[in-house]
Amino acid sequence: REQSFGALLAEYLESEENLFVVSSDFCHWGSRFRFTWYKESEDTGAVQLGKRAGPRETPIWKSIERLDYDGMRAITRLDHAEFRQYLDQTENTICGRHPIGVLLGAVSHLFPECPGNMDNGPQLRFVKYAQSSKVQEASDSSVSYASAYLYLPVKE
């Protein structure tokens, strides 16, 4: 459905008269969000931490950052299927997953040669990333935030 809505909105996204703002926070981490996903390293599988989980080699906040950056990479590639696969695999609690999916659908409708970063094609860049707190203990919580912009080249 996101792809279909993206196709409907594509002509408006393409118009220089319009400005689109797609807003989303990223990971909501902690037991109060029912999401305590943790991955020690790129080479290990993910686990859900219990409230009483002991110290970890990799800080929890770093695992959250890794999780978010993986999603941001999929979005940067402007690849709707890759973003959906990421969400399915990680179950990351990105509230604006559907608006992001619609935006990716609109871009793929306008530039069917996407996904991928084409030299003269659309470019999405993240410019800021932050967490509301640096989670140290499994009983802590945090919400992540990221800002990005999308550049669409003028079609001739």
Side-chain angles (χ1 to χ4, degrees):
R1 294 185 63 175
E2 295 167 349
Q3 297 259 23
S4 299
F5 283 115
L8 291 171
L9 294 172
E11 69 180 280
Y12 302 104
L13 180 65
E14 185 177 35
S15 172
E16 292 181 15
E17 295 178 8
N18 298 317
L19 172 70
F20 275 60
V21 177
V22 176
S23 178
S24 177
D25 38 29
F26 271 66
C27 184
H28 291 65
W29 197 96
S31 59
R32 69 185 177 133
F33 302 117
R34 295 187 191 98
F35 188 79
T36 56
W37 189 93
Y38 177 83
K39 191 171 180 182
E40 188 77 48
S41 71
E42 291 296 327
D43 302 326
T44 60
V47 296
Q48 293 286 343
L49 295 181
K51 268 187 158 181
R52 294 190 176 107
R56 300 289 178 167
E57 185 175 320
T58 300
I60 296 170
W61 69 266
K62 196 71 173 159
S63 175
I64 297 167
E65 181 180 80
R66 184 181 300 124
L67 170 70
D68 285 333
Y69 277 28
D70 287 348
M72 291 161 64
R73 262 191 297 284
I75 295 166
T76 300
R77 289 186 187 112
L78 301 171
D79 188 334
H80 184 271
E82 182 180 345
F83 183 57
R84 290 296 329 152
Q85 181 181 13
Y86 161 81
L87 291 171
D88 290 344
Q89 289 175 346
T90 66
E91 299 178 11
N92 194 352
T93 53
I94 299 173
C95 290
R97 67 176 50 91
H98 296 302
I100 293 168
V102 170
L103 177 68
L104 296 176
V107 172
S108 68
H109 183 79
L110 293 171
F111 298 90
E113 59 276 12
C114 276
N117 287 328
M118 308 170 303
D119 291 336
N120 298 316
Q123 302 287 317
L124 190 142
R125 296 286 178 254
F126 281 89
V127 295
K128 181 75 174 159
Y129 174 81
Q131 296 174 356
S132 63
S133 68
K134 299 287 187 194
V135 173
Q136 300 294 330
E137 306 291 329
S139 58
D140 294 344
S141 63
S142 176
V143 177
S144 304
Y145 306 93
S147 301
Y149 68 89
L150 173 66
Y151 165 76
L152 293 178
V154 176
K155 288 183 160 185
E156 297 179 27

